[in-house]
Amino acid sequence: MRIELSVNGELREADVWAGESLLTTLRDRLDLPGSKNACEQGECGSCSVLLDGELVCSCLVLSAQAVGHEVVTVEGLASDGELHLVQEAFADAGAVQCGFCTPGLVVAAADLLRRVPDPTDDEIREALSGNLCRCTGYQKILDAVHLAARR
Ligand code: FES
Ligand code: FES
């Protein structure tokens, strides 16, 4: 079926099947591969996007459910070719290794800093608890969020 989605401020059309996830539509039909598919079960957070400003796992949202709502992906955080502060801080703090978890963590961290501009370690850990990283041991990720907050 043909649907129209608002993604990163643009109306986009896509041909999807009824049970298709928003993650699949973003990656495979709308040429937005930033959101990653690691588990497809809501366990890892690598597919995190904002849906009407709420952090969601796009693998658990049907594309059809997103019709009429605003979707923001990691690609939508950068503006005018400038990295978002959180993206820059992840790079500067060395919080990226294989990078598979990074888009989801960046979206979740940006969402946290919008709500809590100067979070504590515990608040960061809580906010990012749905995002799994197999490489960094999380300390650099905490450092990156603090760095973004300071900036
Ligand atoms: S791919 Fe969606 S939570 Fe893992
Ligand atoms: S950097 Fe590899 S999973 Fe996080």
Side-chain angles (χ1 to χ4, degrees), residues 95-145:
V96 181
Q97 288 189 28
C98 80
F100 211 82
C101 67
T102 308
L105 278 160
V106 165
V107 173
D111 175 58
L112 169 66
L113 292 179
R114 186 180 50 79
R115 293 179 287 107
V116 185
D118 189 17
T120 63
D121 275 0
D122 283 350
E123 287 170 324
I124 297 171
R125 283 182 210 279
E126 172 68 28
L128 304 186
S129 60
N131 294 79
L132 304 184
C133 174
R134 297 181 66 150
C135 306
T136 64
Y138 297 99
Q139 185 56 51
K140 299 272 188 196
I141 291 168
L142 282 174
D143 295 347
V145 178

Side-chain angles (χ1 to χ4, degrees), residues 23 36-47 57 59:
L23 176 61
K36 297 291 180 272
N37 182 357
C39 74
E40 234 175 350
Q41 294 182 1
E43 299 287 347
C44 73
S46 67
C47 63
C57 293
C59 69

Side-chain angles (χ1 to χ4, degrees), residues 1 3-7 14-26 29-30 40 47 49-51 56-71:
M1 62 188 185
I3 60 170
E4 203 173 56
L5 292 175
S6 170
V7 183
D15 242 330
V16 305
W17 61 280
E20 183 164 305
S21 72
L22 178 58
L23 176 61
T24 297
T25 304
L26 292 170
R29 305 195 194 278
L30 299 182
E40 234 175 350
C47 63
V49 300
L50 299 174
L51 186 65
V56 297
C57 293
S58 60
C59 69
L60 296 184
V61 176
L62 294 178
S63 298
Q65 289 178 300
V67 172
H69 301 278
E70 297 285 329
V71 179

